[in-house]
Amino acid sequence: MEIIKDIQNAFLPELIIVIFIVLNIILSLFIRKNAYKTAKIITSTGLVFACIAMFFVQLIPEYYAFNGVYLSNIFTCTFKIMLLICAFFAVFISGNLTGLRKQKSFEFFSLLLSGILSGFSLVSSNDFITAFISIEILSISCYFLTGFNTNRKSKEAALKYLITGAASSAVFLLGVSYLYGITGSISLSEISNIYANSTINPLFFIACLLILLSLMFKIGCIPFNNWIIDVYEGAAYNICAYLSLIPKISAFAFIINVFICIFSFSPVLKIISAIIALYTIIYGALGAIKQSNIKRLYAYSSIIHSGFILFGISILTVYSVSASIFYIFTYIFMNIGIWTASIIYNRDYKTDEIGDYKGLFSKRPYFTTALTICLISLAGLPPASGFFAKIYLFSSAFRSDFIFMTLMFAAMLATVVSIFVYFKIIKVLYEKPSNEITITKQGIFPGIILYVCALITLLIGIYPNILIKICQIVSYYI
Amino acid sequence: MEFFSDNIFLILIMPVWVCFIIASGIFLKLNISYKVTLMLTLLSSFTGLIFSGMLLKQNSLHTEVIESIFPWLSGENLNIFLGSYIDLTSCVFLSILMLISFIVQLYSYGYMKDNKDFNKYFIYLNFFNFAMTGLILSPNLIQMYIFWELVGAASYILVGFFHNDKETSKAAKRVFIINRIGDCAFLAGIIIFAYFSITYIKQPPDTFLAFNSIEDFRFHLLALTSDGFYNLILLLFIIAAFVKSAQFPFNVWLVDAMKAPTPVSALIHSATMVCMGVFLIIRIFPLLNNTLLYIILFAGLTTAVLCAFIACSRKNIKKMLAYSTSSQLGLIFTALGLGAIPAAIIYLVIHSFTKALLFLCSGVISKTFKTLDMDEMHSLRKSDFYLAVFWIIAALSLSGLFFGGFTSKEILIKTSSANIYVLILIFITSFMTAFYSFKSYFKIFEGEKNDILPVKEKTMLTALTVLSVFVIIPGLMFKASDFDKYCIIAVITGIAALFAAYFVYKNKKQMQGFLYNLSFNELYLPFVYKKIGCIFERVYAISDFTDKYIIDGFVYLIVRINTSFSKIISRLQNGNIQTYIAYSIFTAGVIISIVTLVYHAAAYAKGVSG
Amino acid sequence: MIINITLYHYLILALILFAIGFTGLVISKNLIKALICIELIMSAINLNFIAFTSFKNYIFLKGMVFSLFITAVSAVQSAIGLVLIYLIFKNRKTLMSEEIEELKG
């Protein structure tokens, strides 16, 4: 009966999602017409149930389920809520799946759900086996989702994702195996207990390094960021929105866990990850200047933001980790905003180039305003929430060691370059339009989501206090 | 009774709400009728009026302070709180604001009825209402600064309302820029205060720069800084107050602001916004020491005399009234400089009503004559008797001869009766005030011909009547026992000025002479300003050169570096997946080896040396 | 000669296999060769885990369990890799990784 108690206390949302995945797959055999609508309804119902189930999960004393493998505390709960928000958005902006075959809707949504399921379990994993399996399921779902479109680019992008993903999993496993060899256990809490008291092996250092590098791949930091650019260009717009959020957030949760349990014993690793983060920001900002394809530009922008979040995590104080969590939270909304806007504009103009976005303000003024708000937030200007996220991050860096302070100044300079990147888009939006722009009829949902995101961005920018306090509480609990 | 103080946010939110309704009406092209806009706006002002009246009644007997704040931004050291702070001063100012706002809104309906931008105008009026209420109710300096800026922005928008005229836009720009000087001084003062407050003075977080803890603040600040530096810091705030209230070195913007529609001038530039300087000084009054009070006194008197002098020769009604406002505010600052806050507030209240009445009358006059130049006006009394009555009431009050102005002037004279020089200057000012008020009356209303078509607009007349009631009533509050010799001298001065004005009018003399020339050319002050500006132009040439070649060149250099890096990175992405992996491993190896080597070298060096 | 086969021999073998696999992954022009190299890498890691489990007397046999998982997952991964390669082949009729370079810049 321990299993049932474990499930009830920690695993309930995941179980519900599993049930709905199975439901989706079974229904795909029976229902032929109206497949898309049914699938969407079922998926959203599943997500709603998962949301409700979050309330029954035990939070206050930490709960280790399944013999210390699965963890459930406030930190994981927060991240799961973030993942659910992303999932809701991703389901609703799917639009009519233009370019995909409608009969495949059920598989599409079951893949979406399995990605979310693995995200959940990656967030709550306390053990390297669970983490590895979750990473693999997540990656595999994402490989398929990337390749879901019927054009050549998405297949190629999926292949590139697969090869680099496989390579990174391999490196991850190597690191884990060395860690296992040194400590004899693969559970994070046990490893941290062992290392709290003893000295550090050079092999331990190598093992941790390997794990760090493979996790850097997942988020899209230097030096493993080349796949992001190609994959985002190949995937469909709504998949890109999904890809830029769900794997990233789960990976960040796991990274935070790993950092705190294992990496806190070695200051070199913190400095290495800080420098990697800094280099990521600079590389992302510089690389984005010359891009003319909107998807590649957004890919570089997601690289930049991963760099910022990683920078906050690598400092490893309570304030900086809470700053990172706050940054992730605001990043969700900004990101969904820009991808939704791209979906809307792509349906109108069927183009990927920035230059063809000229003069959108005169045709769709309200959407363009919302998009501008999201872009301003990404650039880090007041009054949008990105400004507060960056300020909070930089102030927490300021208060810690000297070396982080110097790195922080470099990060600030890189921010300036990234501002140029976003304003390139904004400038194009407000120019005089060329004549061949027609407006097509759109569904309601993308528009609503765009407005909601812009609004939330502004609101967080004006009153960030509550959110910051929540993040601080969360980070105390890790 | 607690209902009014607890729900004070209602009067803050209502103007914003009305703004949104009207704005969404314009957005959705709903064609909201003008009457509906007026009703909504009057509703919000009326609510404010009720609230402030109740609060005044509640507060008038005791000096209790009700404060309610909530945190907005709190970091570790810096905590910014917003909220409301209700004491007697803020109740009084709030009442003036709501009352004059109500009357001006009623008047604006009649004034702007033919204008197609009517709804936009009311949006801006409501916005101004909101900003002003927030300013009056602010519990600490930071919220005050936020709303100070908002009021400045509202003033800019309203002054530049007739934006099709190029001169008006330029004037609005000048108004805003000069107000910026005050804003910068205010901000600098806040930053210095915040620096001291955060680093040295450990206070509970909700009293950061708050007004109810300002005496402790003075004590700590004096202990930390020398006397001269303390004066310098507070001088920043005093400069901010002077700029906002158009005192001597900064009074140039008030004349430009007269390009606004007349109700706006009545509301903002005579009755409410220009009183904000006074409000700021009252709020930081516990911080001021004798030197600073002397500075305020000196500046106030200078302005009073100077502006009254210039106002005597103005031909444009509104410009004359602008200088008159500066001059009267100078008298109020004099009272503050002597430390008599109640006298200053009473004078302020009555002056607001009087000046608003004068401006609103001039609005009707401008509609009648289609011009604002007094030389072209004549014999309005025969066509529009009521207007003449209103102007007489206002003029008598302004010169301190009768009605409300009499009460306030007597109180002012009583407080300054200790200092003989101040008294003499106040008498000179009141002479000149009376002179120009009555001269303008004679010029506009007296004459022989009878061919003017009066403007009969019901709302405007109602507004004027209500306002004149408020001007008359304080006159009845004068206690006969307070009548002493200085009051007699004041009354005599006023009557002498009346006769002088009548004399000048009767002889139809074009005034000449040295004094007139001096006054007409505004004491040659613009000439002086221009000369100073020429000196600055030389400096500007140097900075222009630096900007164009050095700074811009530097920026272009950075841009070129960035673009070249970007091209390199672009070429790295050649599409081949294996190259990606190879590059990544290589870069990772490089980074890790460099960092590890450097770190261990540094640790080794530290171990060896330390 | 009889050498005692210690733990380190297994570890070095696994490392060599990993290096060979990784180099093959990076160098190979044929995509199927890359997939095979991925399999090689996974087996090397399996070897690592099993070596650690058997030579050190740890209480729980978590390493063995882990290697079972790894085997299963790598099988799935190669299956998916084959699917994707097949789809690309259907479109472009080539398996050389140098010619699949549409997304670049």
Side-chain angles (χ1 to χ4, degrees):
Chain A
M1 291 304 107
E2 270 231 358
I3 294 187
I4 301 212
K5 186 154 152 292
D6 277 342
I7 290 183
Q8 180 189 350
N9 273 338
F11 200 61
L12 203 53
E14 287 87 348
L15 192 62
I16 292 184
I17 295 186
V18 167
I19 295 178
F20 273 88
I21 293 177
V22 173
L23 197 61
N24 259 329
I25 297 180
I26 294 181
L27 280 178
S28 74
L29 295 173
F30 297 122
I31 299 186
R32 291 291 165 192
K33 42 181 183 179
N34 273 347
Y36 175 71
K37 279 206 176 56
T38 326
K40 203 160 165 177
I41 294 178
I42 291 184
T43 320
S44 9
T45 331
L47 287 176
V48 168
F49 280 154
C51 217
I52 298 178
M54 290 293 309
F55 287 112
F56 296 113
V57 172
Q58 173 169 348
L59 289 181
I60 300 298
E62 296 193 316
Y63 189 78
Y64 290 92
F66 301 125
N67 240 349
V69 159
Y70 208 77
L71 172 62
S72 156
N73 60 8
I74 292 192
F75 169 73
T76 64
C77 175
T78 321
F79 269 91
K80 285 184 190 175
I81 291 182
M82 281 197 233
L83 283 176
L84 275 174
I85 296 177
C86 302
F88 269 117
F89 282 135
V91 164
F92 281 115
I93 66 175
S94 298
N96 275 324
L97 290 182
T98 56
L100 305 171
R101 297 178 212 145
K102 279 255 179 94
Q103 294 99 325
K104 284 196 191 163
S105 320
F106 277 108
E107 282 106 3
F108 177 74
F109 281 105
S110 60
L111 280 173
L112 224 70
L113 278 180
S114 67
I116 296 167
L117 168 71
S118 51
F120 273 25
S121 60
L122 184 56
V123 166
S124 322
S125 70
N126 195 24
D127 188 85
F128 277 116
I129 296 188
T130 323
F132 173 63
I133 303 270
S134 316
I135 290 179
E136 284 305 311
I137 299 183
L138 185 59
S139 312
I140 292 176
S141 316
C142 290
Y143 302 155
F144 276 134
L145 285 173
T146 325
F148 215 77
N149 247 345
T150 44
N151 55 3
R152 299 157 44 128
K153 281 193 182 170
S154 64
K155 309 287 189 244
E156 181 185 332
L159 181 71
K160 289 192 175 160
Y161 196 177
L162 176 107
I163 294 187
T164 30
S168 93
S169 295
V171 175
F172 179 73
L173 285 175
L174 195 65
V176 171
S177 70
Y178 285 140
L179 205 56
Y180 171 66
I182 303 174
T183 56
S185 86
I186 46 177
S187 163
L188 281 177
S189 26
E190 287 178 24
I191 295 182
S192 71
N193 280 340
I194 292 178
Y195 267 98
N197 308 326
S198 58
T199 57
I200 300 186
N201 236 332
L203 194 58
F204 171 79
F205 177 68
I206 296 181
C208 289
L209 207 58
L210 289 170
I211 297 181
L212 178 72
L213 286 180
S214 75
L215 288 173
M216 295 299 110
F217 159 82
K218 271 277 144 217
I219 335 171
C221 290
I222 290 281
F224 302 103
N225 62 333
N226 300 304
W227 65 271
I228 287 194
I229 302 164
D230 292 336
V231 163
Y232 280 29
E233 188 182 352
Y237 277 97
N238 42 4
I239 304 296
C240 279
Y242 181 86
L243 274 183
S244 66
L245 285 172
I246 306 252
K248 222 174 267 219
I249 297 181
S250 350
F252 271 122
F254 185 61
I255 287 178
I256 295 180
N257 251 336
V258 165
F259 258 76
I260 291 189
C261 295
I262 304 186
F263 286 8
S264 48
F265 304 118
S266 160
V268 194
L269 286 173
K270 287 198 266 187
I271 297 180
I272 289 181
S273 58
I275 292 190
I276 287 181
L278 181 68
Y279 191 23
T280 310
I281 303 176
I282 298 178
Y283 186 92
L286 286 178
I289 294 180
K290 197 173 162 297
Q291 295 302 328
S292 66
N293 190 336
I294 193 90
K295 279 205 211 161
R296 293 181 87 93
L297 199 94
Y298 285 162
Y300 273 109
S301 101
S302 78
I303 295 179
I304 299 176
H305 290 289
S306 308
F308 274 115
I309 303 177
L310 184 66
F311 190 71
I313 295 180
S314 61
I315 304 181
L316 266 197
T317 63
V318 171
Y319 281 120
S320 69
V321 174
S322 78
S324 290
I325 298 180
F326 180 66
Y327 201 107
I328 296 178
F329 205 82
T330 57
Y331 173 68
I332 296 177
F333 293 110
M334 309 186 242
N335 223 8
I336 300 263
I338 60 176
W339 286 113
T340 317
S342 318
I343 291 180
I344 296 175
Y345 296 144
N346 191 40
R347 287 210 205 113
D348 284 343
Y349 314 118
K350 309 252 180 307
T351 174
D352 271 354
E353 301 296 313
I354 295 184
D356 296 336
Y357 273 35
K358 228 163 48 148
L360 274 177
F361 183 64
S362 47
K363 300 291 174 177
R364 283 188 183 277
Y366 304 116
F367 280 171
T368 319
T369 327
L371 176 62
T372 318
I373 295 176
C374 290
L375 283 171
I376 290 181
S377 176
L378 281 173
L381 296 174
S385 50
F387 174 67
F388 281 103
K390 290 206 167 85
I391 282 222
Y392 195 24
L393 200 64
F394 288 147
S395 73
S396 65
F398 201 71
R399 281 195 216 122
S400 60
D401 290 340
F402 177 70
I403 187 165
F404 292 122
M405 225 159 51
T406 46
L407 293 179
M408 170 194 91
F409 284 118
M412 282 206 262
L413 290 176
T415 317
V416 175
V417 181
S418 72
I419 291 184
F420 164 74
V421 165
Y422 297 114
F423 272 84
K424 206 164 76 138
I425 308 179
I426 296 183
K427 178 181 89 107
V428 169
L429 285 175
Y430 285 89
E431 281 174 4
K432 290 229 181 309
S434 51
N435 292 326
E436 63 270 5
I437 299 181
T438 56
I439 313 284
T440 61
K441 206 105 171 48
Q442 309 273 0
I444 299 186
F445 275 125
I448 293 185
I449 290 181
L450 185 54
Y451 290 140
V452 165
C453 290
L455 196 63
I456 294 184
T457 315
L458 272 183
L459 282 179
I460 299 183
I462 298 180
Y463 195 77
N465 215 5
I466 301 183
L467 207 52
I468 293 185
K469 287 278 183 283
I470 295 180
C471 295
Q472 283 180 335
I473 297 177
V474 164
S475 52
Y476 271 127
Y477 270 101
I478 297 177
Chain B
M1 268 306 160
E2 275 76 32
F3 168 74
F4 291 109
S5 39
D6 287 339
N7 296 1
I8 199 73
F9 294 105
L10 202 60
I11 61 174
L12 205 56
I13 302 283
M14 275 207 76
V16 183
W17 178 61
V18 173
C19 266
F20 271 131
I21 295 182
I22 309 179
S24 34
I26 294 185
F27 239 4
L28 304 172
K29 301 204 179 17
L30 278 183
N31 272 357
I32 300 187
S33 122
Y34 292 170
K35 277 204 163 60
V36 169
T37 321
L38 178 69
M39 281 305 147
L40 282 173
T41 320
L42 285 182
L43 183 69
S44 76
S45 303
F46 192 64
T47 330
L49 202 57
I50 296 184
F51 268 79
S52 52
M54 286 297 160
L55 282 173
L56 199 57
K57 200 172 80 158
Q58 192 183 351
N59 261 340
S60 59
L61 295 179
H62 37 261
T63 52
E64 178 186 297
V65 165
I66 310 166
E67 183 178 14
S68 70
I69 51 181
F70 69 93
W72 180 42
L73 287 176
S74 13
E76 258 197 0
N77 305 325
L78 177 69
N79 293 303
I80 305 182
F81 282 78
L82 301 179
S84 70
Y85 181 84
I86 307 176
D87 66 345
L88 191 57
T89 326
S90 52
C91 285
V92 168
F93 275 87
L94 205 57
S95 317
I96 309 177
L97 168 71
M98 288 303 167
L99 188 62
I100 297 192
S101 185
F102 185 82
I103 293 176
V104 162
Q105 279 152 7
L106 192 58
Y107 181 92
S108 304
Y109 177 71
Y111 192 81
M112 304 282 281
K113 217 164 47 161
D114 317 315
N115 201 329
K116 62 176 170 51
D117 284 332
F118 186 86
N119 282 331
K120 258 199 242 178
Y121 176 76
F122 268 87
I123 293 181
Y124 300 143
L125 273 188
N126 276 311
F127 175 63
F128 173 77
N129 231 353
F130 159 69
M132 200 66 187
T133 321
L135 211 165
I136 296 180
L137 290 175
S138 44
N140 53 20
L141 279 172
I142 295 191
Q143 180 175 341
M144 191 178 223
Y145 179 69
I146 297 174
F147 284 102
W148 187 275
E149 298 259 13
L150 280 179
V151 168
S155 157
Y156 165 71
I157 297 178
L158 280 167
V159 167
F161 187 69
F162 299 126
H163 55 86
N164 294 319
D165 180 10
K166 208 105 203 248
E167 279 304 314
T168 318
S169 312
K170 281 205 227 167
K173 210 167 51 167
R174 278 197 291 260
V175 165
F176 189 66
I177 292 181
I178 299 186
N179 266 322
R180 277 319 280 171
I181 302 180
D183 295 344
C184 290
F186 200 157
L187 188 62
I190 287 186
I191 293 179
I192 298 182
F193 270 8
Y195 169 68
F196 280 117
S197 176
I198 294 179
T199 342
Y200 299 113
I201 309 175
K202 302 294 174 207
Q203 284 171 323
D206 58 346
T207 56
F208 180 69
L209 295 183
F211 290 132
N212 58 359
S213 64
I214 212 162
E215 278 133 16
D216 307 327
F217 193 71
R218 170 183 190 170
F219 173 66
H220 286 120
L221 201 57
L222 271 179
L224 286 167
T225 60
S226 66
D227 228 5
F229 191 60
Y230 180 78
N231 286 343
L232 218 60
I233 302 176
L234 280 169
L235 196 63
L236 288 170
F237 284 103
I238 295 182
I239 290 180
F242 280 170
V243 167
K244 201 61 147 192
S245 295
Q247 295 307 291
F248 164 56
F250 312 107
N251 65 340
V252 288
W253 67 269
L254 203 53
V255 180
D256 280 325
M258 289 302 132
K259 292 266 195 296
T262 313
V264 168
S265 300
L267 181 60
I268 301 188
H269 302 122
S270 65
T272 41
M273 190 178 88
V274 291
C275 308
M276 281 307 105
V278 181
F279 187 68
L280 176 64
I281 301 284
I282 294 180
R283 280 286 191 241
I284 62 174
F285 200 76
L287 288 179
L288 300 173
N289 57 14
N290 276 337
T291 329
L292 296 163
L293 287 175
Y294 272 136
I295 295 180
I296 298 180
L297 179 66
F298 186 67
L301 275 177
T302 321
T303 317
V305 176
L306 211 67
C307 290
F309 186 57
I310 300 179
C312 288
S313 70
R314 292 296 104 198
K315 296 246 185 312
N316 188 328
I317 300 188
K318 285 174 72 173
K319 292 204 165 77
M320 175 189 92
L321 290 176
Y323 278 111
S324 157
T325 312
S326 297
S327 150
Q328 299 295 307
L329 281 167
L331 285 181
I332 298 177
F333 274 106
T334 320
L336 279 179
L338 292 170
I341 297 188
I345 296 187
I346 295 179
Y347 200 92
L348 183 80
V349 172
I350 297 184
H351 166 256
S352 303
F353 291 135
T354 317
K355 203 38 79 58
L357 184 59
L358 278 172
F359 266 109
L360 294 184
C361 288
S362 67
V364 180
I365 294 173
S366 76
K367 280 235 156 173
T368 318
F369 285 105
K370 310 275 184 296
T371 175
L372 280 172
D373 195 344
M374 280 201 286
D375 279 341
E376 304 176 17
M377 302 182 188
H378 51 90
S379 64
L380 192 51
R381 178 170 60 98
K382 301 211 166 72
S383 329
D384 200 346
F385 182 66
Y386 290 111
L387 204 59
V389 168
F390 290 139
W391 192 279
I392 288 268
I393 295 177
L396 285 174
S397 176
L398 193 62
S399 22
L401 281 178
F402 214 55
F403 303 126
F406 182 57
T407 324
S408 53
K409 187 99 344 124
E410 301 319 318
I411 298 182
L412 179 68
I413 292 183
K414 208 171 295 304
T415 52
S416 52
S417 50
N419 201 334
I420 193 68
Y421 298 109
V422 173
L423 211 52
I424 292 182
L425 287 175
I426 292 185
F427 284 143
I428 296 180
T429 317
S430 28
F431 178 81
M432 289 195 279
T433 315
F435 181 68
Y436 62 67
S437 339
F438 288 113
K439 176 178 86 106
S440 57
Y441 167 75
F442 288 126
K443 238 204 156 150
I444 302 176
F445 290 94
E446 295 295 336
E448 307 305 324
K449 315 187 195 153
N450 202 353
D451 53 354
I452 319 293
L453 217 58
V455 170
K456 291 252 189 266
E457 184 63 53
K458 221 175 3 181
T459 43
M460 306 213 285
L461 279 178
T462 330
L464 287 173
T465 327
V466 174
L467 201 49
S468 55
V469 167
F470 275 100
V471 170
I472 296 180
I473 288 188
L476 307 168
M477 294 182 186
F478 183 71
K479 297 199 276 272
S481 57
D482 289 338
F483 205 76
D484 69 346
K485 59 177 183 290
Y486 295 118
C487 302
I488 302 186
I489 303 184
V491 172
I492 294 180
T493 342
I495 299 187
L498 198 161
F499 279 113
Y502 184 65
F503 181 68
V504 165
Y505 166 71
K506 209 46 172 169
N507 291 346
K508 289 200 199 350
K509 219 158 55 157
Q510 272 299 32
M511 300 194 290
Q512 285 153 357
F514 170 70
L515 277 181
Y516 177 71
N517 269 337
L518 204 58
S519 163
F520 189 71
N521 292 322
E522 297 164 35
L523 286 168
Y524 298 105
L525 272 178
F527 181 69
V528 169
Y529 291 154
K530 211 169 196 177
K531 279 289 175 215
I532 299 181
C534 282
I535 302 179
F536 277 111
E537 208 149 299
R538 307 261 169 80
V539 178
Y540 171 68
I542 300 180
S543 82
D544 189 31
F545 173 79
T546 328
D547 183 43
K548 249 203 289 231
Y549 294 108
I550 302 182
I551 297 184
D552 275 357
F554 186 61
V555 172
Y556 284 140
L557 180 69
I558 294 188
V559 168
R560 289 239 179 87
I561 294 180
N562 281 343
T563 6
S564 52
F565 271 126
S566 177
K567 288 206 185 94
I568 296 177
I569 292 178
S570 235
R571 251 184 276 147
L572 278 184
Q573 291 272 111
N574 63 352
N576 191 357
I577 190 69
Q578 273 102 347
T579 23
Y580 292 169
I581 302 184
Y583 283 148
S584 15
I585 299 296
F586 177 66
T587 328
V590 165
I591 294 182
I592 292 171
S593 34
I594 292 183
V595 172
T596 327
L597 281 173
V598 168
Y599 181 79
H600 283 297
Y604 180 69
K606 214 191 319 191
V608 163
S609 63
Chain C
M1 41 184 185
I2 302 180
I3 313 177
N4 239 347
I5 308 278
T6 63
L7 171 65
Y8 292 106
H9 290 171
Y10 280 102
L11 288 187
I12 294 180
L13 176 63
L15 202 56
I16 293 179
L17 279 178
F18 184 88
I20 293 178
F22 209 83
T23 325
L25 174 62
V26 175
I27 289 185
S28 70
K29 298 214 172 54
N30 200 331
L31 281 177
I32 306 245
K33 253 195 226 164
L35 269 190
I36 296 177
C37 293
I38 293 182
E39 280 300 304
L40 187 56
I41 295 175
M42 296 296 189
S43 337
I45 294 178
N46 260 338
L47 187 58
N48 227 349
F49 269 108
I50 298 177
F52 274 126
T53 321
S54 52
F55 271 89
K56 305 216 171 175
N57 302 318
Y58 294 132
I59 309 182
F60 300 110
L61 297 176
K62 288 208 179 133
M64 299 277 198
V65 171
F66 208 161
S67 57
L68 284 178
F69 274 108
I70 293 176
T71 321
V73 169
S74 67
V76 173
Q77 213 159 36
S78 28
I80 294 180
L82 278 175
V83 167
L84 285 173
I85 291 181
Y86 168 67
L87 283 173
I88 290 188
F89 180 72
K90 215 166 53 146
N91 265 328
R92 303 189 203 211
K93 310 278 184 278
T94 174
L95 275 181
M96 299 294 145
S97 74
E98 282 173 338
E99 299 170 18
I100 308 180
E101 280 193 0
E102 229 182 69
L103 308 167
K104 61 160 120 189

